[in-house]
Every structure is written in structure tokens, then in C-alpha cells.
Amino acid sequence: MLSDGIEKIKGVGEKTTALFHKAGIYTKEELLNGFPISYIDYPPVSRIVDAREKEWMAFSAVLQEDFRGRPGTAKEILLARAFDSSGEITLQFFHAPYIRKTVKKGMHFVFYGQVKEFQGRYYLQQPKYFSIEDYREKRKLLEAVYSSAKGIKNYIRRRAIAELFKEDFACSDVFSEGELERLSLPDKKESLRLLHFPENFQEREKGRKRLAFEELFFYSLYLEKEEKEYKAEKELSLYEEGEEKNFFSYFPFSLTASQKDCILEMNTELLRKQRIYRFIEGDVGSGKTVIAFYLIYLTINRGKQAAFMAPTEILARQHYENALKLFPDRIVLLLGSTSQKEKREIYKGIAKGEILAVFGTQSLIQEGLSFSALESIVIDEQHRFGVKERLKLEKKGNCPHTLFLSATPIPRSLAKLLYGSLPLSVLKEKPADRLPIKNALIHKEEQQKAFSFILEEIKKGRQAYVICPMIEENESLPVEAVLSYRKVLRKFFPEDIRIGVLHGKLRSEEKEAVMAAFKRGETEILLSTTVVEVGVDVANATVMLIENAERFGLAQLHQLRGRVGRSALQSYCIFLDRKDDEKSRERLEIMKNSNDGFAIAKEDLRLRGPGDLFFGERQSGELQFSMADPILDEELFRIAREEAMQMLKADPELKKHPKVQEEFFKMITTDTP
Ligand code: ADP
Ligand code: MG
């Protein structure tokens, strides 16, 4: 049974079980559903004479000597030379005393790692090593790399999952054999095997596609149902002719044409006493929040309640603080980290109707919170929330007016698949006073130049973001991590320049504090992982450096870049490419040459092929899917949509498809972790 605890798997002892538990993995099913973030494709063995710097290579070589500590250094660095018939290479290990016992003079292994060059000599640092037979086995499959953020070593996971497949398990499938055959998709269990132990990238893609199909199918079912249900009559009209004028006068700027159009459309619906249920799409910085505030303004003017839900505490607070400037009375901020005592007060105020607008995160969908008259809701960065979260918030009111805000640039054809016939407003232009961001694409040798440029901006009184892909170094992925990168920055920048460090492992109060300090200008540089990605608005920050830019999806890079260029000041974005091969350069050139999210998404699609994969792989992963990429999988999406429509047409209550019904019910009721 997949619902069995992981401790039932052979070889998973008490200690490993505890590790898994700590990472939030309790059942066999949860183990299987933790998918690799990358794969190692072990190359054929090369001759040492063909070693090339930076390349990941394997050499079949014999140790020429025993490992010895490097003279003059602490004993932690161990070195030994190894040779094949063509040449010799030096092996280097750090903090690995055991190596002296296992790898000795005269022994023969295949060594795999990244080649480094130093003073004309080639090195392999911390290579993996295998017997010749083992390496042959290794090459038969791609080796899965799992996220190590949760503190479980890769081989432990791989071993547990392999054992699970060996023991065999029953895996229920929502699709019948006939359906799968018609759709040419593998069954569920096979798709799981293909993802964890693919022979090659084509296989892996087959597995992904199957799971993506399922995701898109259920999304389509949901959309079909939603389209039927969103329409509702409202008793109260929130709007009176001309009321927007006063709202406009709150802002020191005039609204863009798209913002005005969108408000007009909403007014029309309100006058007709229709429920507003609208997606607001607009590139980063296009000013979606103004639209949301308009709805809140109308709502609280009539003494009704509004709730604004954002995906992170940082964002919720930012919106709350902006809202305070417009409507200072009877509004609150409710966060997970709000004290119990304060929460109780807020709950009371909301239940009694004394509080009219509440800003928060998922804290808004907690059981204990009920409203006296919830008339409107706004979901910011809607793609970050699952269906269940939306529905939970909606249920706290009686068919409340609802706005969904999203910055994911999508082609028109895709909008049809994602939103069906639901109303959609697109904010096409940015505010008039914005200068286009200037972009630069640089190599790692130019890092110091980038730092100098940042320093210049700081001297002008501006602030800077520096983005790294990871928090800590990962055993198998050689990328820059914020914790170690801080030292690199510290070495370069004068002491009086203050650096804030932001990443996902900080407690939420810590994150808030770091963010707040940056907003107030108390730190000049914010060094961060992608947690800073969504919606954060610091107008004085004019430059962003993105390390290992090749590691990110283009859509994500675009979102990140959207943190600068949020005022009339000239802004800059510097992409540092550490891979620097033709392909990664071509991708990043796209970023350099365009500031248009939609054009970027399209170009990206042109360049990517199936099986193409890199860390932070999710492209339109910012859309609520974990396996599917609606841009890449548009055709699959179309088929899934068609299947869902046909199924509902023939069987509206899904009575003849009990497994689908059960899964669908789970989708709209269970919480996402
Ligand atoms: P996003 O669409 O990314 O959520 P925001 O709503 O956060 O964008 O707006 C970005 C910034 O632009 C904010 O500081 C906001 O006050 C400002 N802004 C919004 N609309 C306009 C406008 N019409 N003219 C000038 N600035 C605007
Ligand atoms: Mg926003």
C-alpha cells in the first residue's frame, strides 16, 4: 500500500525514517511524489589527455600513489595522482580522511567529476569513484538528483525508492487502460519509474508528460465547473456613477489606459449587479494593485468587508502599508506570525464587522476566521495558490466579488485554455514615466566589474539586489549560494556598505526584518535567493545582479528583474552566466535583448526541447502546476481539456468515473502543504 509508512521499506531503518520525517515525508506515496530536480548523465570514459577544463568527465585511471596532505596546508586537503595510458590527473579531496583507506596506490577506478585547471595541471575535485563494472551499470540510467534542502542525501533517497520498486506496489490510476492506450500515455506506476529511474531524457519526458496530462486534466475539470458557477446576481451594487473620480484623486500619477479600461469594465458589471469574477493579467510593474485597491475602496465605502490574500508575508505587509495610505481606518494585517492574542482580537473585529479590510497570507483561510459581510476578495499572484485555497477564501463570503492578479505572461491561445470563458483584463502597458531597464550579460571573469558598477549606483544613493540560486551549497550541484556569497561581496564592498541576506530558511519575522531594512534604505545591498521574486516593490533599488543566471528559467528571470525599474529612475539588470556555452548564451541573450515578458516566454519556448532541463527548471512553473508547463505543453493541455469536457458531458457528476471523482474531490478540498 502506498499509504504505508516509509519505515516499511526494506533498508529504511530508524535513523533514516527520522530523517525522512523531518523532511515531511511519512508515507511511501510521499516518497514517490518527491521528484528529482535534476539528473546526472554519466558520460563515457575519456582519456586523460582529452581532459578539458570545466567539463564533467569520467576517467578510468590507476592511482600512482597514496593520498597525502598538501604540504603546508591543514591535512584536510588530500591529493593523489592517477594515470591512464594517455596521461595523468590529480585527484583532490576535502574533509575526506576515509579516502586514504578506500582509494590506494595501484587501485583502479573510474573517477567522475568536473575538471579544473590550475597552473597547467588538471584536477578532479571531490570526484565520485566507481569500480569499472559499477560505472558501466551507472551509465545505464540517468541518476536522479533530489533537492537536498531537506537534508536527505541523494543516495539514501534513491536507495529507498529503488527498494520500493523492487518490492513492488499497487498504484491506482485515474485513467483506464483503454483511455491510456487511446492517449498513448504510460500508466501511473510506469510514469513514476520513468521519472525516478529514466534511461535517458526521452524516457524521463514520457513520465513527466503523463503526470502533466493528469494535472492539466484535473485543472480543466475544475475550470469547466467554475465557468458554470462563477455567475451570480448581487443584491447590492457597489458602484455609483462617477465614483471612480474620487479614487483616482488619491494617486500622485494618472492611471494608464489599461488600468482605466479595466476599472470601466468592472463598473459596468457592478451597475448590472453582476458578480465580478475577473483575472487581471499584467506584466510585473504594470500596476495591478491599483485595480485591486479600487474594488476594496468600493467595498469598504459601503461598510462591507474585503480580504486581500498574497503568497508571502513580505508582500501582504507591503500591500497593507500601501493600503493604509489610501484608507487608514478599519483595516488590519493578519499573518501566520501574528501573535495569538492579536489574532483573537482581529478575529473578533472581523466577525463583528468592525474591521472592513484584511490583508494577509494563507492566514486568511484558517478555520477560525469568519466574516460578518465578506463582499470582495483579491488573490494576488494567483498562480501561487492552489484551487483549494481560493475556494476556501471564497466560501467565507456569499459569492464574493473576486479578482485574481497574475503576472505570468501568456499567449492568447493559452489564455483560452487557462481561463476558458472567464473574464480577463490585460494591463498592456507600463506606467508612462518608466525607462526601459538596461541589461547586460557577463561572464564570471567580469564579476568584479559588475560589483564596481553596483558600487557606483550605491554611491549615487541607490540600492541593489544580488540574487543567487541557492541558500547553501548542494552536494551535487555546483552553484553559488547566498550564505557563502556574502563573504565574496564583503571582500569587495567597503565596510560602510550594509548587506542584508534573505532566504527561505529564515523565520518569517527574520525575513520581514531583512526586507523592511532594505525598504527603509538601511541596507544598500539585498543578497537573496528567489524568495524576493514576487511583487516586492522598492523603487530606490535600481540594479540587480543575477548570479548563475543560466540556472534559472527565463520566465523566472523576468520576474526577478521586475524588482528593478519600478520608478522613473534608470535601472539595470546584470545576468552573470557561469556556464557560458553557446546554448546558455543564446537563452540569456533573449533576456538581454527584451524586457517584454510575453516575447521572452515565446522565444524560450522556441529554444527549449523536451527533456531539456536545468535547475530551477520550472518555466511557467509560476503557473500553479508542478509537472505541467502550459506553455510547453499547450498541445497536451488542449487534449486534456477536450478529455475533461467530453467526460463531463457524458457524465456530469462523474458517477461513472469514481476514481476521477475521488481525486477531483481531493483536489478541491485538501490543503496543499
Ligand atoms: P504589479 O502589477 O507588478 O503588481 P504594482 O501594482 O506593484 O505592480 O505597481 C508597481 C509600482 O507602480 C507601484 O509603486 C505603483 O504605485 C506604481 N504605479 C501603479 N500604477 C501607476 C501609474 N499609472 N503611474 C505611475 N506609477 C504607477
Ligand atoms: Mg503585484
Side-chain angles (χ1 to χ4, degrees):
M1 284 269 285
L2 282 182
S3 56
D4 286 347
I6 34 141
E7 69 281 358
K8 297 263 174 68
I9 303 171
K10 205 171 116 200
V12 176
E14 233 169 85
K15 252 194 181 151
T16 316
T17 304
L19 271 178
F20 277 119
H21 285 185
K22 218 173 128 209
I25 298 170
Y26 292 87
T27 64
K28 292 177 175 176
E29 187 165 11
E30 286 164 348
L31 179 67
L32 281 174
N33 285 336
F35 297 114
I37 55 168
S38 179
Y39 299 86
I40 299 174
D41 186 4
Y42 286 101
V45 168
S46 300
R47 298 188 321 153
I48 290 177
V49 69
D50 294 327
R52 258 179 310 152
E53 160 134 75
K54 287 205 279 194
E55 203 94 341
W56 290 79
M57 299 178 91
F59 305 105
S60 175
V62 175
L63 267 280
Q64 199 165 323
E65 57 197 347
D66 284 327
F67 275 92
R68 59 198 150 77
R70 195 161 80 195
T73 62
K75 287 272 157 45
E76 291 144 59
I77 301 178
L78 294 172
L79 297 169
R81 282 170 300 168
F83 65 97
D84 66 8
S85 59
S86 75
E88 73 168 48
I89 191 161
T90 305
L91 310 171
Q92 197 175 32
F93 281 87
F94 306 100
H95 309 290
Y98 55 87
I99 209 77
R100 285 175 186 248
K101 301 215 175 75
T102 44
V103 184
K104 293 170 120 167
K105 182 175 175 185
M107 287 176 144
H108 188 173
F109 289 100
V110 175
F111 296 94
Y112 166 81
Q114 194 182 27
V115 177
K116 305 263 158 126
E117 200 207 311
F118 183 66
Q119 295 180 337
R121 298 186 60 94
Y122 285 118
Y123 288 80
L124 279 182
Q125 275 178 0
Q126 210 82 355
K128 292 176 184 253
Y129 55 97
F130 309 94
S131 71
I132 294 159
E133 299 76 58
D134 283 354
Y135 194 72
R136 209 172 288 138
E137 280 304 305
K138 276 276 166 201
R139 290 206 59 220
K140 287 186 182 157
L141 297 176
L142 297 180
E143 185 172 291
V145 177
Y146 299 90
S147 159
S148 68
K150 302 269 169 77
I152 301 172
K153 289 233 186 315
N154 264 310
Y155 76 91
I156 292 183
R157 259 202 216 215
R158 270 199 310 271
R159 211 167 51 195
I161 298 172
E163 188 56 39
L164 188 52
F165 273 97
K166 217 164 83 195
E167 289 169 11
D168 209 17
F169 52 88
C171 183
S172 105
D173 204 319
V174 287
F175 302 114
S176 68
E177 260 174 58
E179 284 162 340
L180 290 171
E181 200 170 324
R182 179 162 50 78
L183 296 160
S184 324
L185 293 170
D187 67 31
K188 178 78 169 257
K189 187 168 174 182
E190 175 65 3
S191 69
L192 291 172
R193 190 189 65 76
L194 291 172
L195 276 163
H196 289 290
F197 304 105
E199 270 176 33
N200 51 47
F201 285 107
Q202 286 82 357
E203 277 211 333
R204 182 260 175 197
E205 173 61 9
K206 250 197 239 165
R208 185 198 68 83
K209 243 187 149 132
R210 156 60 215 259
L211 296 186
F213 180 84
E214 190 168 325
E215 228 174 2
L216 295 167
F217 172 81
F218 279 102
Y219 177 84
S220 302
L221 275 185
Y222 165 70
L223 186 67
E224 274 294 301
K225 287 192 171 277
E226 191 171 48
E227 275 184 60
K228 289 200 187 77
E229 286 163 18
Y230 86 90
K231 282 193 179 143
E233 297 273 307
K234 303 293 287 184
E235 273 169 41
L236 175 79
S237 170
L238 283 186
Y239 171 72
E240 262 168 47
E241 207 79 58
E243 206 174 343
E244 68 278 7
K245 301 253 160 48
N246 186 33
F247 176 74
F248 292 168
S249 72
Y250 285 165
F251 298 96
F253 45 74
S254 50
L255 272 65
T256 65
S258 293
Q259 283 171 326
K260 283 188 182 153
D261 285 349
C262 177
I263 283 178
L264 238 111
E265 283 172 314
M266 284 163 58
N267 289 344
T268 313
E269 286 175 333
L270 288 172
L271 279 174
R272 291 201 197 117
K273 293 200 175 175
Q274 283 170 2
R275 174 191 191 192
I276 291 183
Y277 195 86
R278 185 170 281 277
F279 289 83
I280 315 288
E281 277 277 353
D283 208 344
V284 281
S286 59
K288 295 181 290 290
T289 319
V290 170
I291 309 294
F293 282 2
Y294 180 59
L295 180 62
I296 295 174
Y297 165 80
L298 295 178
T299 307
I300 64 183
N301 266 355
R302 282 161 183 78
K304 298 286 180 186
Q305 291 175 310
F308 188 123
M309 182 159 76
T312 63
E313 301 209 339
I314 292 171
L315 264 187
R317 179 180 294 279
Q318 176 181 299
H319 289 310
Y320 167 71
E321 282 167 1
N322 286 331
L324 272 180
K325 293 178 206 154
L326 305 182
F327 359 94
D329 300 322
R330 302 170 77 181
I331 80 174
V332 294
L333 177 66
L334 175 63
L335 302 175
S337 56
T338 304
S339 75
Q340 284 306 326
K341 185 166 162 262
E342 214 178 323
K343 264 187 200 159
R344 272 197 301 274
E345 285 299 306
I346 291 174
Y347 281 16
K348 232 201 278 163
I350 292 175
K352 282 193 182 153
E354 289 161 3
I355 291 167
L356 294 183
V358 53
F359 290 77
T361 52
Q362 307 215 356
S363 54
L364 299 185
I365 55 177
Q366 301 311 312
E367 294 276 326
L369 180 64
S370 57
F371 291 78
S372 72
L374 180 62
E375 189 72 8
S376 300
I377 62 185
V378 176
I379 299 181
D380 192 24
E381 310 284 342
Q382 63 96 9
H383 47 278
R384 301 276 295 242
F385 292 99
V387 166
K388 303 140 228 179
E389 282 119 356
R390 282 191 202 180
L391 288 177
K392 271 193 176 168
L393 190 55
E394 270 180 58
K395 293 230 171 74
K396 292 187 186 281
N398 177 21
C399 290
H401 295 297
T402 305
L403 289 179
F404 302 100
L405 313 187
S406 167
T408 318
I410 47 164
R412 198 162 264 292
S413 54
L414 196 58
K416 203 80 213 103
L417 289 167
L418 276 172
Y419 305 132
S421 57
L422 297 172
L424 171 69
S425 297
V426 180
L427 302 188
K428 296 184 203 76
E429 70 279 60
K430 294 228 172 138
D433 63 351
R434 300 293 149 84
L435 298 166
I437 296 171
K438 289 192 178 157
N439 302 300
L441 174 55
I442 64 171
H443 318 286
K444 71 168 195 273
E445 292 75 22
E446 297 168 289
Q447 185 194 52
Q448 301 286 313
K449 251 166 80 186
F451 289 172
S452 304
F453 183 81
I454 291 174
L455 186 57
E456 288 306 306
E457 281 292 299
I458 291 174
K459 284 185 184 154
K460 286 189 223 160
R462 311 280 173 260
Q463 291 164 279
Y465 293 99
V466 177
I467 308 293
C468 291
M470 301 243 242
I471 304 175
E472 295 166 77
E473 277 141 67
N474 181 299
E475 45 169 334
S476 334
L477 295 171
V479 305
E480 297 300 334
V482 282
L483 295 182
S484 44
Y485 206 76
R486 185 170 193 281
K487 295 191 197 105
V488 179
L489 292 177
R490 230 7 336 155
K491 232 187 242 160
F492 179 88
F493 287 93
E495 259 177 43
D496 59 328
I497 290 186
R498 295 156 296 183
I499 303 173
V501 180
L502 187 67
H503 57 76
K505 274 194 187 168
L506 295 178
R507 281 179 294 127
S508 73
E509 309 91 83
E510 294 171 318
K511 271 190 243 169
E512 296 259 337
V514 173
M515 204 55 231
F518 188 62
K519 276 192 131 175
R520 287 195 299 262
E522 291 165 9
T523 45
E524 282 77 21
I525 298 177
L526 183 64
L527 172 61
S528 176
T529 57
T530 55
V531 292
V532 78
E533 158 179 28
V534 287
V536 170
D537 196 34
V538 180
N540 190 46
T542 54
V543 50
M544 173 176 279
L545 168 65
I546 304 180
E547 259 291 347
N548 283 110
E550 79 281 359
R551 292 275 167 178
F552 296 94
L554 295 191
Q556 198 178 16
L557 287 174
H558 180 66
Q559 292 275 332
L560 284 167
R561 177 171 58 186
R563 301 307 110 231
V564 295
R566 300 176 78 85
S567 69
L569 299 166
Q570 177 63 56
S571 287
Y572 307 87
C573 188
I574 306 166
F575 302 96
L576 197 154
D577 179 6
R578 284 197 177 261
K579 193 150 180 219
D580 204 15
D581 64 13
E582 209 174 298
K583 210 168 152 200
S584 86
R585 204 158 38 240
E586 194 181 350
R587 282 181 68 239
L588 292 172
E589 287 282 343
I590 298 176
M591 295 305 300
K592 185 181 149 193
N593 296 329
S594 176
N595 284 323
D596 172 348
F598 178 45
I600 290 167
K602 271 213 312 228
E603 271 298 289
D604 191 25
L605 175 60
R606 190 179 61 78
L607 282 185
R608 294 167 65 215
D612 214 0
L613 133 118
F614 31 86
F615 167 77
E617 150 194 38
R618 311 235 36 82
Q619 287 286 301
S620 31
E622 294 79 25
L623 296 162
Q624 60 219 330
F625 304 100
S626 61
M627 274 294 153
D629 179 333
I631 294 183
L632 191 63
D633 294 324
E634 191 172 337
E635 198 43 44
L636 195 68
F637 201 166
R638 216 176 291 289
I639 299 169
R641 183 88 205 272
E642 190 56 36
E643 279 294 306
M645 277 161 63
Q646 294 302 340
M647 189 181 287
L648 278 180
K649 212 160 139 195
D651 180 17
E653 302 298 319
L654 299 171
K655 290 215 171 81
K656 284 177 236 147
H657 297 85
K659 278 185 190 150
V660 174
Q661 190 188 40
E662 186 187 334
E663 277 301 307
F664 185 71
F665 185 73
K666 257 200 242 162
M667 163 174 162
I668 59 175
T669 52
T670 347
D671 287 317
T672 29

